[in-house]
Amino acid sequence: MRIRIVDAFTDRPFTGNPAGVLLLGPGGFPDDSRLQQVAAELNLSETAFAHPLPPGGDADWALRWFTPVTEVDMCGHATLATAHVLHTTAAASGTVRFAARCGVLTSTAHPDGSIALDFPTAPLTPEAPAEGLAAALGRSPCPCTTRARTSATCWWNWATRRPYEDSPPISRH
């Protein structure tokens, strides 16, 4: 099993956002416990595991991401790192489609070495503030939406006279 550590969002080593990347053979993923052990050993925010899929399907590679303690639904920088490894090792060229828990993600390598990612969209769902939140903070938030498939975080915008960009978001987990 070859382990690569890739710094995403940078063009220099030891900067950017590191992710572990393991390209596996066409036989599929090892047991979840093995994937989790590898991610825990690397101790990076995320480690990506990918294996090629048979031709003719909706995706070219299966992709999963693990933190040191759990599997996650999606990870942008580890997807970018995986696409980088696929292209720099000639395991893939052009556009690559990844099958993941969050849907099909697409990466496209450009001649200048850049990689563009296209992620699936998740429907936004309105959510009411938790009981007592407005009273505890002394004011009412504007409506909130969540991205149920990819995030358990709900961002609240507190109504102020300042433009939206200046309003501090408050995260509710």
Side-chain angles (χ1 to χ4, degrees):
M1 196 178 289
R2 183 166 182 187
I3 299 171
R4 294 172 175 89
I5 298 175
V6 177
D7 292 316
F9 308 123
T10 186
D11 60 357
R12 296 183 327 256
F14 310 112
T15 62
N17 197 355
V21 177
L22 287 86
L23 299 183
L24 308 169
F29 293 110
D31 291 338
D32 290 359
S33 62
R34 178 74 168 156
L35 299 175
Q36 190 63 66
Q37 288 171 333
V38 172
E41 179 72 18
L42 291 179
N43 201 30
L44 296 168
S45 62
E46 278 85 17
T47 298
F49 299 88
H51 72 79
L53 294 172
D58 291 337
D60 309 303
W61 288 78
L63 181 60
R64 294 172 72 183
W65 309 271
F66 285 77
T67 72
V69 297
T70 192
E71 184 172 10
V72 294
D73 290 337
M74 189 177 85
C75 180
H77 81 283
T79 302
L80 181 60
T82 304
H84 172 77
V85 170
L86 287 170
H87 293 294
T88 58
T89 62
S93 62
T95 298
V96 177
R97 299 164 302 154
F98 297 103
R101 285 176 23 171
C102 62
V104 175
L105 308 132
T106 304
S107 73
T108 303
H110 298 285
D112 66 359
S114 65
I115 297 172
L117 299 177
D118 186 9
F119 295 122
T121 58
L124 296 176
T125 306
E127 185 172 316
E131 188 175 326
L133 179 64
L137 297 175
R139 56 185 174 161
S140 296
C142 295
C144 169
T145 57
T146 60
R147 294 170 298 156
R149 283 186 20 190
T150 60
S151 176
T153 301
C154 185
W155 293 97
W156 299 96
N157 179 38
W158 298 94
T160 67
R161 292 186 180 175
R162 296 176 300 176
Y164 175 79
E165 292 80 17
D166 293 336
S167 299
I170 295 185
S171 176
R172 189 186 104 187
H173 298 279

